Amino acid sequence: MKNFDIGEVNRLISKRRSVYPNMYSGEIIDNQIIKNILTNANWAPTHGMTEPWRFTVFSGEGLRKLAEFQSGLYKQTSQANGKYDESKFLKLASKPLLASHIISIGMKRCDNEKIPEIEEVSAVACAVQNMYLTATAYGVGCYWGSGGITYLEEAKSFFNLDERDKLLGFFYMGIPKTKWPEGRRKPIEDKVIWIS
């Protein structure tokens, strides 16, 4: 039973791209679109119905708060270990201000130890793919970045995550100022073995 136009589904998936903040126009995305993107994220597959994805949405003045927090935390931790880089600090302080919205991507670890952590991380990745596809359908540029403070334990509490949880990065969003990027992939035949 076919309920959807498979041609449109195929086209949507093949048009998904990472669109970076330096490619954004500065136009602000309507919050209802952001809500729809997050609602579709919530329909990702999840083992044991744990629904481990946790998101914090930053917009307006919230982007400045995120920029100040991440650049400040980077400076504090990198100076402590002797790896401070001024250009990285400046990038962390300015890059969020290029986006319309940024959503932190968190994984809330469930209490059921029978569910491996990797399955919870994978569920969050599926939620982010739903976000990517929904954003693409709206013409919203986005990308999932995992640099900066992503893997610092000290960052977790700012995003309402506990010690057992994981911060997995940031989903930047904005309206592209140029045409939608073209994509490329090597043939699927190079990556699949069929056994009949």
Side-chain angles (χ1 to χ4, degrees):
M1 180 171 67
K2 188 169 118 177
N3 294 323
F4 302 96
D5 179 336
I6 194 63
E8 277 298 287
V9 172
N10 291 343
R11 191 170 76 82
L12 173 62
I13 291 170
S14 69
K15 292 295 180 185
R16 187 222 51 85
R17 297 286 173 273
S18 290
V19 180
Y20 303 99
N22 64 345
M23 302 166 76
Y24 299 161
S25 67
E27 185 180 341
I28 303 301
I29 301 163
D30 187 278
N31 281 333
Q32 187 56 52
I33 291 174
I34 303 299
K35 185 175 180 184
N36 290 346
I37 288 169
L38 291 167
T39 298
N40 286 347
N42 200 41
W43 285 103
T46 169
H47 185 180
M49 296 300 293
T50 61
E51 302 177 37
W53 40 86
R54 295 296 183 273
F55 305 114
T56 303
V57 181
F58 297 89
S59 64
E61 191 57 31
L63 294 169
R64 190 169 307 286
K65 290 176 184 174
L66 173 61
E68 289 171 0
F69 171 75
Q70 71 175 6
S71 60
L73 181 59
Y74 165 74
K75 188 173 195 175
Q76 174 190 339
T77 57
S78 62
Q79 283 181 337
N81 64 25
K83 296 184 178 179
Y84 178 73
D85 177 343
E86 181 73 12
S87 64
K88 188 169 182 180
F89 169 80
L90 293 172
K91 183 177 178 183
L92 289 168
S94 61
K95 187 175 170 185
L97 307 179
L98 300 174
S100 168
H101 291 70
I102 297 173
I103 301 175
S104 70
I105 303 165
M107 183 276 292
K108 187 73 162 171
R109 186 68 173 116
C110 72
D111 293 329
N112 184 347
E113 293 298 331
K114 291 182 180 177
I115 297 178
E117 182 182 77
I118 188 63
E119 294 188 16
E120 300 284 80
V121 171
S122 298
V124 174
C126 288
V128 173
Q129 177 70 349
N130 284 2
M131 293 164 67
Y132 257 122
L133 294 174
T134 308
T136 300
Y138 277 111
V140 169
C142 54
Y143 98 103
W144 180 357
S146 59
I149 63 166
T150 297
Y151 302 118
L152 296 179
E153 287 296 315
E154 300 91 334
K156 290 180 180 178
S157 62
F158 186 79
F159 304 99
N160 298 307
L161 298 169
D162 295 326
E163 186 180 324
R164 295 179 68 231
D165 306 335
K166 295 217 178 294
L167 179 61
L168 298 175
F170 301 92
F171 197 70
Y172 286 73
M173 291 182 288
I175 304 298
K177 61 184 170 187
T178 58
K179 70 177 195 148
W180 200 255
E182 291 297 319
R184 62 188 182 281
R185 288 290 186 273
K186 294 176 184 170
I188 190 62
E189 290 78 13
D190 294 351
K191 304 162 192 165
V192 177
I193 298 171
W194 292 72
I195 301 175
S196 300

